Amino acid sequence: MSPAKPGQNESATPASGAEAREDFGRFLDMSSDVMLVVGSNGEFLRVNDTFRTVFGYDIDDLQSLRFFDLFESRPQMREAEDFEARMRTKDGRVLWMRWHQKLFGDQLYCVGRDLTGIKQHEAALERRQKQLSEAEAIGHMGHWRWEMGRDDIEWSEEIFRIFGEDSKTFSPSIHKLTERVHRRDVGRVVQAFQRAIIEEKDYDMEFRIARTGGETRYIHCEGRCEKDANGEVVALYGIMQDMTERVLYEQELHKAKDTSERAYAAKSQFLANMSHELRTPLNAIIGFSEMMQQQMLGPLGNEKYVDYINGIHESGAHLLDLISDILDMSRIEAGKYELDLESLNVVKVINAACHMIQPRADEAKIKISTVGLKNEKLKIVADRRAFMQIMLNILSNAVKFTPDGGSVTIDCVEREGFISIRVTDTGIGIPPNKLASITRPFEQVSLSYARNHGGSGLGLAITKELVELHGGTLLIDSELNVGTTVTVRLPFEAVQKS
Ligand code: ADP
């Protein structure tokens, strides 16, 4: 065909037969489909350019080649006018081709389309769909979509599993969904959907469903709005996740927590009652043994009795200490320890505590130094009895766990909003692996040492609780055979912490 002159198209004259053939030849070469004519023995009679580009064969190659040689397995072409087949190119690549063929006389006309790209995409899509549905099965989570105005909903395989339905026989719909949602949750679910549509917002809710057999499952549902080009909501879509195992586990956990809290409260109550009951007879034992020690009503006679009565008095006093500790601990644990807050002079209380510890320190020739207490006017708002107990516990430990001839130093610094009291000793120290547990009730580093020096293992636990009740913190630093520093940080103005 000769090149068209301007304006020639509109007044196109019919092409001659030769021109038309030439035209068609060109069109065929331009087509993206492969076209060929095959003889009765499969020999190539004519092929278009696309065939050569797709399969990579030259005209010369085709002399010795038959159409069937290009197929991976010989197709039964006579039976089907349309078929798909895997074929090989000259350089060995595999192509997926779809063929349309027709017999004219003894010549077979074939038009083929390369589907390799589409097939690869299909395979990738299938792979991804499989991965998605496996991931959904692992996470017990499926996806869904609902087009507004319709009754049916699209569900992924996992949602069928969550609802205990067979995807082959069950067709999900709004109607069937609301039928399965727990009676008390239906209203909330419908409302959430309506709000999502009206407010065009993402939403998120939890509801229960009853499976056909009556089994309850807990569902977490999250959704989004799908909008069209005009910004109108046209569909809702999202995920549903089966939370049943987690919800049941949480319920069990709550139950267990309640039970243990009740048992704990009962134990604390029992200890509080017992401690109270034990104190009365103990006070009698201590009081009367003290009178006997002093031989107020006349001499005891035998020297041995004096020894015994000293023993009775000492043991009674020790038992009373222990019972007071247990009572304090159980009151704190039961949340019944009320702080009686007042403004108090820090140095005065610390000095009073030192004074009470002094006899024991003197016995072991341990020097207590308070030169670090500089500001004698320093005041904080705290519970006097609790603050005294804190200082006594820390100081008595410092003396108790420091070998003869050692020293205990106390200092106090003021920071913004709080004070920091440090008690440092040159004692046996605490092993690093025990530092964290030592403030728990009844924890002691060495039973034999504690037995020799007395102590219940409650002192630090009570101290820590009391400090924290004031809104403060207790810190322990220690090095074995070097010494221990206990730091108490207390706010200037304590507020009872519950
Ligand atoms: P205890 O009645 O045994 O003194 P505490 O709760 O006061 O109970 O202390 C627990 C344990 O912490 C002690 O038995 C001891 O092992 C260790 N401990 C506490 N204070 C010190 C210290 N200053 N030096 C070394 N060890 C200490």
Side-chain angles (χ1 to χ4, degrees):
M1 195 175 134
S2 51
K5 294 191 179 85
Q8 201 177 9
N9 273 348
E10 295 93 60
S11 59
T13 46
S16 71
E19 272 184 326
R21 265 199 304 282
E22 207 178 329
D23 275 355
F24 277 117
R26 283 180 184 149
F27 281 138
L28 296 185
D29 285 340
M30 284 163 67
S31 160
S32 56
D33 287 343
V34 174
M35 296 176 191
L36 43 92
V37 183
V38 181
S40 50
N41 293 320
E43 72 276 20
F44 289 97
L45 299 177
R46 286 183 294 285
V47 298
N48 69 347
D49 278 356
T50 319
F51 171 84
R52 275 173 275 163
T53 326
V54 171
F55 282 90
Y57 289 108
D58 293 332
I59 293 292
D60 296 343
D61 297 324
L62 297 181
Q63 304 290 329
S64 54
L65 207 63
R66 288 180 328 146
F67 184 39
F68 307 121
D69 297 338
L70 305 184
F71 290 84
E72 278 220 313
S73 57
R74 196 188 165 100
Q76 295 179 326
M77 296 197 297
R78 304 277 158 192
E79 285 172 18
E81 291 237 300
D82 287 294
F83 65 98
E84 285 179 9
R86 280 159 64 90
M87 310 188 73
R88 284 213 178 261
T89 60
K90 186 177 177 185
D91 56 11
R93 277 181 304 116
V94 175
L95 297 182
W96 263 106
M97 298 290 295
R98 180 191 291 141
W99 290 103
H100 178 69
Q101 46 148 31
K102 207 158 191 176
L103 206 55
F104 291 96
D106 60 354
Q107 295 190 354
L108 188 64
Y109 284 70
C110 304
V111 181
R113 182 162 291 181
D114 183 1
L115 298 180
T116 317
I118 295 173
K119 288 281 181 193
Q120 278 167 350
H121 276 115
E122 273 174 12
L125 199 65
E126 205 174 304
R127 220 175 26 246
R128 265 186 226 134
Q129 250 158 11
K130 203 161 159 241
Q131 281 169 354
L132 177 67
S133 82
E134 272 170 26
E136 291 195 345
I138 293 169
H140 301 300
M141 181 198 288
H143 61 271
W144 56 270
R145 186 174 177 280
W146 173 66
E147 254 174 56
M148 297 226 328
R150 298 181 62 124
D151 190 40
D152 61 318
I153 318 175
E154 284 167 43
W155 276 4
S156 74
E157 201 52 46
E158 188 54 26
I159 300 192
F160 284 99
R161 262 200 293 274
I162 294 173
F163 277 72
E165 300 290 351
D166 187 344
S167 60
K168 292 187 193 74
T169 53
F170 182 86
S171 39
S173 64
I174 291 284
H175 174 67
K176 287 183 190 161
L177 173 70
T178 40
E179 232 173 45
R180 275 161 181 75
V181 173
H182 194 287
R183 214 162 25 88
R184 294 225 197 108
D185 297 346
V186 175
R188 217 160 30 82
V189 172
V190 172
Q191 215 177 27
F193 275 106
Q194 284 171 344
R195 277 243 301 275
I197 298 167
I198 295 166
E199 294 172 16
E200 301 181 1
K201 267 195 196 150
D202 299 345
Y203 51 98
D204 151 3
M205 63 188 149
E206 273 170 33
F207 57 86
R208 289 161 293 175
I209 57 157
R211 283 186 177 174
T212 309
E215 187 193 348
T216 302
R217 307 297 293 178
Y218 293 80
I219 312 291
H220 171 74
C221 175
E222 266 193 63
R224 306 260 183 284
C225 297
E226 190 182 305
K227 295 180 188 169
D228 63 8
N230 302 325
E232 297 281 322
V233 178
V234 287
L236 302 180
Y237 65 97
I239 56 113
M240 276 194 216
Q241 188 172 22
D242 188 346
M243 313 284 290
T244 313
E245 267 69 45
R246 214 188 81 189
V247 170
L248 293 183
Y249 177 72
E250 279 173 5
Q251 284 175 355
E252 283 297 310
L253 216 64
H254 268 119
K255 252 191 255 165
K257 190 168 163 266
D258 280 357
T259 316
S260 95
E261 271 174 6
R262 250 181 280 128
Y264 213 77
K267 183 211 75 178
S268 297
Q269 192 58 48
F270 169 76
L271 282 177
N273 292 346
M274 278 302 289
S275 307
H276 189 74
E277 291 301 315
L278 286 171
R279 267 183 199 216
T280 320
L282 257 182
N283 281 329
I285 294 172
I286 294 167
F288 289 134
S289 59
E290 216 166 72
M291 277 172 65
M292 288 167 85
Q293 262 180 332
Q294 289 162 13
Q295 308 191 30
M296 284 167 90
L297 302 177
L300 279 176
N302 195 319
E303 264 303 297
K304 277 271 176 216
Y305 283 150
V306 180
D307 248 10
Y308 292 163
I309 208 68
N310 283 342
I312 290 172
H313 184 259
E314 209 175 284
S315 305
H318 177 67
L319 216 53
L320 189 63
D321 274 353
L322 188 65
I323 286 167
S324 304
D325 278 358
I326 292 177
L327 188 64
D328 281 345
M329 197 66 220
S330 50
R331 276 221 312 262
I332 293 171
E333 280 180 345
K336 291 200 176 132
Y337 198 107
E338 299 253 322
L339 293 182
D340 186 5
L341 297 173
E342 63 177 295
S343 172
L344 49 87
N345 182 307
V346 175
V347 174
K348 271 193 187 156
V349 179
I350 296 179
N351 279 336
C354 289
H355 194 69
M356 287 167 78
I357 299 293
Q358 197 64 54
R360 262 189 271 166
D362 289 345
E363 240 174 74
K365 299 192 177 54
I366 292 169
K367 188 174 168 334
I368 298 183
S369 157
T370 53
V371 287
L373 302 176
K374 303 227 166 61
N375 181 0
E376 291 190 357
K377 290 205 174 73
L378 177 61
K379 286 195 166 181
I380 60 168
V381 173
D383 180 307
R384 183 179 294 277
R385 197 181 87 83
F387 184 42
M388 185 66 162
Q389 197 173 354
I390 291 167
M391 290 319 302
L392 275 177
N393 283 346
I394 295 171
L395 284 169
S396 74
N397 275 347
V399 171
K400 191 159 67 173
F401 296 103
T402 297
D404 291 5
S407 66
V408 174
T409 49
I410 307 157
D411 66 27
C412 175
V413 287
E414 292 162 55
R415 297 269 178 259
E416 209 180 311
F418 64 90
I419 61 163
S420 191
I421 303 164
R422 276 188 313 187
V423 177
T424 305
D425 63 50
T426 57
I428 59 171
I430 300 166
N433 63 337
K434 290 277 181 178
L435 269 181
S437 61
I438 210 69
T439 49
R440 284 193 222 130
F442 305 111
E443 288 280 347
Q444 294 177 319
V445 172
S446 142
L447 275 179
S448 59
Y449 197 98
R451 221 171 275 134
N452 288 341
H453 293 74
S456 59
L458 277 173
L460 278 183
I462 293 174
T463 306
K464 182 167 184 279
E465 294 284 355
L466 290 179
V467 170
E468 286 174 1
L469 268 182
H470 281 82
T473 52
L474 180 81
L475 234 140
I476 306 176
D477 257 327
S478 192
E479 200 176 327
L480 269 184
N481 303 319
V482 176
T484 302
T485 300
V486 180
T487 310
V488 175
R489 272 179 170 206
L490 286 173
F492 276 113
E493 231 169 284
V495 182
Q496 166 104 38
K497 289 262 149 92
S498 51

